[in-house]
């Protein structure tokens, strides 16, 4: 437990909460219930062994901070995750209710272990050890089957490794959600393209054969779409999107908008992952972490932006 002031709030709360949830206890020396709550919070912090960080704000000394967060009654506790306040409570709650509050908002032990396995998988994949990465992710998903981040990483690596059957089985629970999260719909589109390339006779055609048929009939959308799937399977996603955009320009509604859905899926998969350190998180009260320079757009992000514009123009 540490004392926080306006001077170090950004570092000790907003920045710190990007990696570990931070519980802020707004209190005052004259407040009887605060004196009851404080030791309970410290006991729970020790019991949770690093799952969250506890800090205290003396509202008598830090009235500006109290004003930012509209503290009307003390004790008031606010939990910060990812630089944002996500939940809170007022009053000297008993230990059981505090634990229930934390368990509702903090990752479980299984999720923490799964995230550790996921980090090891990422390191193994970066070193080219796909087998180890896959096993780590399988273990992680077994421990935390509701962890969508782990499931996404596993399915993506399985597809990239050509293990399409296992990928389809691992993807199925995510596709059963309503609505289906976009990133899992994107994986499904990629998987369908690879399945097409391995099971449909056209998957073995040379590209020249597709081009001959398309040259003879610019509106041969079936052939254009098949060619796009073959290009996706071969990893030439920009060429695939160019072919799909040609269909969209000529018939936006063809095949229940399958070309548009496929382009959206590819853009989702091509979009670089967000990095917390590149953003300047703000609290709901308007506090902002200073010192975060805007990063220049990388080539991958530029490519995605360019094709998003192309898709928008084709749809208009």
């Amino acid at each position: 437990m540490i004392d926080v002031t306006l001077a170090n709030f950004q570092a000790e709360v907003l920045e710190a909460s990007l990696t570990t949830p931070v519980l802020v206890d707004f209190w005052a020396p004259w407040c009887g219930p605060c004196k009851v709550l404080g030791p309970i919070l410290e006991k729970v912090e020790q019991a949770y062994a690093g799952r969250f960080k506890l800090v205290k704000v003396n509202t008598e000394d830090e009235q500006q901070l109290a004003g930012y967060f509209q503290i009307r009654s003390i004790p008031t506790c606010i939990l910060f995750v990812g630089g944002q306040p996500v939940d809170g409570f007022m009053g000297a709650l008993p230990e059981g209710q505090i634990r229930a509050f934390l368990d509702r908002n903090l990752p479980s032990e299984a999720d923490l272990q799964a995230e550790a396995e996921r980090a090891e998988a990422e390191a193994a994949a970066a070193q080219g050890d796909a087998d180890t990465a896959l096993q780590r992710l399988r273990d992680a998903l077994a421990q935390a089957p509701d962890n969508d981040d782990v499931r996404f990483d596993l399915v993506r690596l399985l597809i990239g490794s050509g293990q399409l059957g296992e990928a389809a089985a691992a993807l199925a629970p995510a596709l059963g959600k309503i609505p289906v999260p976009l990133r899992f719909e994107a994986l499904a589109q990629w998987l369908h393209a690879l399945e097409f390339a391995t099971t449909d006779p056209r998957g073995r055609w040379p590209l020249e054969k597709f081009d001959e048929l398309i040259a003879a009939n610019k509106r041969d959308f079936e052939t254009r779409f098949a060619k796009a799937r073959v290009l996706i399977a071969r990893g030439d996603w920009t060429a695939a999107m160019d072919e799909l955009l040609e269909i969209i320009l000529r018939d936006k509604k063809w095949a229940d908008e399958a070309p548009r859905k496929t382009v959206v899926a590819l853009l989702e998969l091509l979009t670089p992952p967000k990095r917390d350190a590149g953003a300047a998180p703000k609290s709901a009260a308007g506090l902002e972490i200073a010192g975060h320079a805007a990063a220049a757009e990388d080539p991958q992000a530029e490519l995605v932006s360019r094709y998003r514009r192309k898709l928008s123009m084709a749809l208009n």
Side-chain angles (χ1 to χ4, degrees), residues 87-275:
D87 203 353
F89 63 86
M90 292 188 296
L93 300 184
E95 182 178 336
Q97 290 185 32
I98 293 171
R99 285 177 175 267
F101 166 84
L102 292 169
D103 290 342
R104 186 171 67 247
N105 288 286
L106 299 181
S108 66
E109 293 288 353
D111 278 327
L112 290 174
Q113 183 59 40
E115 285 301 321
E117 295 276 7
R118 183 180 175 222
E120 292 180 11
E122 184 176 355
Q127 296 173 359
D129 188 354
D131 290 340
T132 297
L134 282 170
Q135 192 54 53
R136 294 294 188 201
L137 290 170
R138 292 185 185 106
D139 293 343
L141 190 61
Q143 293 167 4
D146 293 330
N147 190 312
D148 280 352
D149 291 334
V150 172
R151 185 176 299 279
F152 177 82
D153 287 353
L154 175 60
V155 174
R156 183 164 191 159
L157 189 54
L158 285 168
I159 294 175
S161 302
Q163 301 181 50
L164 305 187
E166 185 181 351
L171 181 58
L175 297 181
K177 295 184 177 182
I178 300 176
V180 177
L182 176 57
R183 59 177 172 168
F184 288 112
E185 176 62 31
L187 287 176
Q189 293 286 352
W190 184 19
L191 179 61
H192 294 159
L194 289 168
E195 289 172 338
F196 172 86
T198 56
T199 60
D200 192 286
R202 290 169 293 178
R204 295 184 292 275
W205 283 8
L207 294 180
E208 291 77 13
K209 185 169 182 178
F210 289 105
D211 293 337
E212 289 175 8
L213 293 171
I214 293 169
N217 179 8
K218 299 292 187 183
R219 295 184 64 84
D220 186 352
F221 300 147
E222 194 69 47
T223 296
R224 283 188 184 274
F225 193 65
K227 179 187 176 184
R229 285 184 154 185
V230 170
L231 288 166
I232 293 169
R234 295 183 183 183
D236 195 348
W237 289 9
T238 54
M241 288 191 290
D242 288 335
E243 201 65 63
L244 293 165
L245 288 168
E246 289 293 332
I247 300 175
I248 297 169
L249 283 167
R250 291 171 170 81
D251 188 341
K252 298 176 179 60
K253 302 296 183 180
W254 180 79
D256 193 28
E257 300 186 61
R260 179 191 63 78
K261 294 174 183 177
T262 306
V263 172
V264 170
L266 295 179
L267 290 173
E268 175 70 11
L269 294 173
L270 286 167
T271 299
K274 294 179 180 178
R275 301 297 181 190

Side-chain angles (χ1 to χ4, degrees), residues 274-295:
K274 294 179 180 178
R275 301 297 181 190
D276 290 335
K282 295 181 180 180
S283 75
L287 293 176
E288 182 173 351
I289 298 174
H292 288 263

Side-chain angles (χ1 to χ4, degrees), residues 3-129:
D3 292 314
V4 168
T5 66
L6 182 62
N8 66 356
F9 189 89
Q10 293 177 359
E12 298 293 347
V13 177
L14 298 183
E15 288 183 327
S17 72
L18 295 175
T19 54
T20 302
V22 178
L23 184 65
V24 182
D25 174 21
F26 290 89
W27 72 291
W30 50 262
C31 168
C34 298
K35 296 176 182 179
V36 174
L37 180 64
I40 298 175
L41 292 176
E42 292 176 18
K43 176 185 175 183
V44 172
E45 182 188 27
Q46 290 184 351
Y48 275 60
R51 289 176 60 192
F52 76 98
K53 170 184 173 181
L54 175 65
V55 305
K56 298 175 75 69
V57 173
N58 184 335
T59 56
E60 287 290 284
D61 296 335
E62 301 297 328
Q63 295 183 20
Q64 188 174 356
L65 271 179
Y68 275 139
F69 293 99
Q70 301 179 4
I71 304 301
R72 299 286 182 262
S73 174
I74 53 172
T76 290
C77 291
I78 301 177
L79 183 67
F80 287 76
V81 178
Q84 298 284 344
V86 296
D87 203 353
F89 63 86
M90 292 188 296
L93 300 184
E95 182 178 336
Q97 290 185 32
I98 293 171
R99 285 177 175 267
F101 166 84
L102 292 169
D103 290 342
R104 186 171 67 247
N105 288 286
L106 299 181
S108 66
E109 293 288 353
D111 278 327
L112 290 174
Q113 183 59 40
E115 285 301 321
E117 295 276 7
R118 183 180 175 222
E120 292 180 11
E122 184 176 355
Q127 296 173 359
D129 188 354

